[in-house]
Amino acid sequence: MNPRAAKAIINGVLIGVAAVVLFPLLWMVSVSFMQPGEASAFPPPLLPAHATLANYHELFARAGMGRYLFNSLLIASAITLLSLAFNLSAGYAFAKLQFSGRERIFQVLLGALVVPAQVTMIPLFLLMKWLHLVNSYGGVIVPALASVFGIFLVRQYARSIPDELLEAARLDGAGEWRIFLRIVLPLLKPIVVTLAIFTFLGSWNDFMWPLIVLSDQGSLTAPVALAALSREHVQDNELMMAGSVVTILPVLILFLVLQRHYIQGLMLGGVKG
Amino acid sequence: MKRERTAWTFVTPALMVIGVFFALPVLAAFALSLTDFDLYALANLKNLRFVGFDNYRDVLAAPLFWKALLNTLYFVAVGVPLSLAASLGAALLLNSPLARFRGLFRTALFAPVVTTVVAVAVIWRYLFHTRYGLINYALVHLGIAPIDWLGDPLWSMPAIILFAVWKNFGYNMIILLAGLQGIPPDLYEAARIDGASAWQRFRFITLPSLRPVLLLVSVITVAGYFQLFAEPYVMTRGDPLQSTVSVLYYMYEEGFKWWSLGRASAIAFLLFALTLAVTRVMLYLSRRGERR
């Protein structure tokens, strides 16, 4: 085959695949601007005849989506900030600080990676009930405060910090926490960004645990509320599409802005994020 | 010794969280699976009784458990190879030196991975709509009769598999792409000089070089696909005729709809054991294949 034909075929296929992959997302945006009922026609319309914001109005004014998005934002931000603090300090210690049993404890943590989170959900629910955290932000946030994956990622990265640097700081009389905050954290910046995106996207998109631990209308996250809405409003395509748009848009934008860090982290870790 | 104590202040918070909210619940889940924990026990712990392995016996005797197990195995057995094939195909395309705008295409193909599964499941539910869905519209154009995707027990699981492939293939695509970029170009050059065809280069250089990465992504994907839940929850509620009830969906209903928390814990453990067994067998077979 001559190279020009090969080039045309490969790029043609890529364009075709990208079109098929992106189509559902683009169609979602288009339908969200249609009049109620407009999408239920044959053949299905691709673009709204008269674009309207009515679905978004309905979504925020009557379905309370603003509250759910706020809940999601608050929960995902809290998990991201707090778990970064827990995972960064632990990951750094496993890489660079001496304490008895360090390697053994780390091996046990790695072994725990094979246990799916779903196994813990029933006792965790009872524990949360006992702690009075069911139906509260805390019920979603507290179990996510530290993760083996996060500790692992930080440890792998922190191992490249030269010991001489830390020793020199110690000779100058700096305390361990001061060294961590002043010297180590700036060096860990790339992995901090990567881990922050992973954690934020993961918490925002999480479904099963929030579904279990949140049932009070006011405390629902956007995905849980959307699932409930979609069960009530099976026929309201346009409204549901607007709901999907506002649920997906924040994470999609965040990804597009910071994708370099996200994809680098994926290639480095190669482990489920 | 002061140094040792300081080091512990770095790890203790994280270890406490993992211990209390992960390790403890895993052990408690097994303990719970040996009790008849239900709505009465939830109200008053005095109603709790130890029942040994009765929950496991009951679950293994329940027709719906076997149905859910078969559905889940169907999803894994068909969904994982399809997802991996899509990931590998896309990675090969993106890795081709002839491809243009590679960064842009990579972002486009990866986009579904970062979307919220509930929100995109809502979209696909309408794409699969029997009368107004665009998928049936396209099929009719190709001269194929419309399919009742989410209403026909024969087609409900294939619909969920199609959706899952679309949602997930980008993740492994990135990892495979990194693997492809790690293959030394001289290998291909040498093969070309020896007159190897494109297929031969793929079969004898690309595939063997990717072997460790392929094994890694297969194991991760199998373990992930066994945890099927949100897709049937949003798209079908396990229907039609329970053809999309997965093991985890069954666990959720037993636990949080009927509050049989003891039984649900037994189901969770059975699923865990099954996932572990299957991934172990995959690793074992691959190691044996390597030696040969």
Side-chain angles (χ1 to χ4, degrees):
Chain A
M1 203 191 316
N2 76 58
R4 282 191 65 175
K7 193 171 179 177
I9 291 174
I10 284 183
N11 287 291
V13 173
L14 266 177
I15 292 172
V17 172
V20 170
V21 168
L22 290 184
F23 178 79
L25 297 175
L26 297 173
W27 188 67
M28 157 189 81
V29 175
S30 173
V31 172
S32 76
F33 291 115
M34 288 182 191
Q35 309 282 352
E38 193 180 340
S40 299
F42 195 88
L46 289 181
L47 291 170
H50 304 283
T52 168
L53 287 172
N55 302 308
Y56 290 95
H57 186 257
E58 165 96 11
L59 196 63
F60 284 95
R62 265 200 266 149
M65 199 65 190
R67 177 65 194 262
Y68 307 134
L69 287 170
F70 173 78
N71 292 341
S72 272
L73 182 70
L74 194 94
I75 288 174
S77 308
I79 290 178
T80 306
L81 288 176
L82 294 170
S83 78
L84 269 179
F86 282 62
N87 291 334
L88 280 169
S89 56
Y92 162 67
F94 275 114
K96 287 289 162 189
L97 299 180
Q98 300 301 327
F99 55 94
S100 49
R102 186 178 85 167
E103 297 311 309
R104 222 171 330 122
I105 297 172
F106 190 69
Q107 289 309 317
V108 172
L109 284 183
L110 282 189
L113 276 175
V114 301
V115 185
Q118 287 80 359
V119 172
T120 66
M121 283 180 181
I122 290 158
L124 203 51
F125 175 79
L126 295 175
L127 181 61
M128 289 298 149
K129 202 169 134 54
W130 185 65
L131 293 171
H132 298 286
L133 287 174
V134 169
N135 267 330
S136 76
Y137 296 142
V140 188
I141 296 170
V142 171
L145 284 184
S147 78
V148 175
F149 171 74
I151 294 174
F152 172 78
L153 209 62
V154 174
R155 174 182 177 268
Q156 293 310 90
Y157 199 87
R159 274 149 69 103
S160 64
I161 298 173
D163 285 319
E164 297 76 28
L165 193 68
L166 306 175
E167 281 308 326
R170 281 179 196 127
L171 285 177
D172 286 347
E176 291 298 333
W177 279 100
R178 198 181 144 90
I179 295 174
F180 175 67
L181 293 173
R182 289 287 171 81
I183 300 171
V184 174
L185 269 190
L187 292 172
L188 290 181
K189 207 171 139 197
I191 204 70
V192 172
V193 179
T194 300
L195 191 56
I197 312 168
F198 274 0
T199 311
F200 189 89
L201 294 193
S203 327
W204 181 281
N205 290 337
D206 196 16
F207 178 62
M208 194 171 178
W209 177 244
L211 174 74
I212 289 171
V213 83
L214 306 173
S215 53
D216 182 49
Q217 276 285 318
S219 68
L220 301 187
T221 61
V224 177
L226 191 66
L229 277 178
S230 84
R231 285 181 161 206
E232 282 168 37
H233 297 257
V234 181
Q235 300 305 327
D236 302 336
N237 292 4
E238 300 78 12
L239 179 69
M240 291 315 304
M241 288 303 151
S244 292
V245 169
V246 295
T247 306
I248 293 173
L249 213 56
V251 277
L252 203 57
I253 290 174
L254 191 70
F255 164 70
L256 289 176
V257 173
L258 296 169
Q259 60 164 315
R260 198 167 52 87
H261 302 276
Y262 188 99
I263 286 181
Q264 261 170 12
L266 208 63
M267 286 178 152
L268 277 179
V271 197
K272 195 84 187 167
Chain B
M1 270 314 84
K2 185 173 170 288
R3 238 172 154 177
E4 164 113 13
R5 221 178 314 139
T6 322
W8 278 103
T9 61
F10 278 79
V11 285
T12 307
L15 290 182
M16 291 267 285
V17 170
I18 292 169
V20 174
F21 299 102
F22 189 80
L24 187 71
V26 172
L27 299 177
F30 185 66
L32 266 181
S33 75
L34 305 177
T35 70
D36 69 343
F37 205 110
D38 56 11
L39 209 52
Y40 301 105
L42 206 56
N44 187 346
L45 271 181
K46 279 191 191 127
N47 295 320
L48 188 66
R49 279 183 316 150
F50 176 79
V51 295
F53 285 93
D54 281 8
N55 283 322
Y56 290 90
R57 201 195 55 205
D58 291 351
V59 168
L60 291 173
L64 188 52
F65 172 74
W66 292 100
K67 177 117 198 165
L69 186 62
L70 281 180
N71 292 338
T72 308
L73 288 173
Y74 179 10
F75 179 73
V76 172
V78 179
V80 172
L82 275 181
S83 298
L84 289 183
S87 306
L88 184 58
L92 286 171
L93 278 173
L94 285 178
N95 194 47
S96 162
L98 299 173
R100 306 198 57 202
F101 307 112
R102 284 195 250 178
L104 201 65
F105 281 123
R106 190 183 64 179
T107 304
L109 299 189
F110 190 76
V113 176
V114 297
T115 58
T116 314
V117 62
V118 172
V120 285
V122 166
I123 307 174
W124 278 76
R125 207 175 63 182
Y126 293 119
L127 289 176
F128 280 126
H129 196 282
T130 317
R131 279 175 63 198
Y132 308 124
L134 276 154
I135 292 176
N136 273 348
Y137 179 64
L139 286 185
V140 169
H141 257 267
L142 296 171
I144 300 167
I147 292 168
D148 187 6
W149 289 100
L150 299 176
D152 182 342
L154 194 66
W155 288 104
S156 50
M157 193 50 93
I160 287 186
I161 290 172
L162 271 181
F163 167 68
V165 170
W166 172 83
K167 170 84 175 73
N168 299 316
F169 84 94
Y171 187 89
N172 290 333
M173 175 189 81
I174 296 291
I175 297 174
L176 289 171
L177 190 57
L180 285 173
Q181 286 166 355
I183 304 175
D186 341 352
L187 282 181
Y188 290 108
E189 204 44 56
R192 215 174 323 221
I193 292 167
D194 287 347
S197 68
W199 166 251
Q200 284 172 323
R201 288 195 301 262
F202 174 72
R203 173 71 189 77
F204 295 107
I205 299 176
T206 311
L207 274 188
S209 312
L210 277 187
R211 198 191 157 91
V213 187
L214 274 173
L215 178 67
L216 174 79
V217 295
S218 319
V219 169
I220 294 176
T221 313
V222 165
Y225 275 24
F226 265 114
Q227 317 300 323
L228 175 68
F229 174 73
E231 294 85 348
Y233 184 90
V234 176
M235 291 170 80
T236 57
R237 304 193 198 191
D239 281 337
L241 293 176
Q242 298 166 331
S243 60
T244 56
V245 172
S246 65
V247 177
L248 207 55
Y249 192 89
Y250 180 51
M251 181 207 94
Y252 175 81
E253 295 238 302
E254 282 292 320
F256 297 101
K257 192 168 164 193
W258 309 116
W259 298 101
S260 306
L261 295 171
R263 263 188 98 174
S265 297
I267 299 169
F269 253 88
L270 287 170
L271 180 63
F272 172 37
L274 181 72
T275 312
L276 201 61
V278 170
T279 50
R280 281 296 123 115
V281 167
M282 285 171 70
L283 289 169
Y284 169 77
L285 287 180
S286 131
R287 221 169 291 140
R288 224 181 49 171
E290 226 160 63
R291 240 178 274 134
R292 228 183 301 129

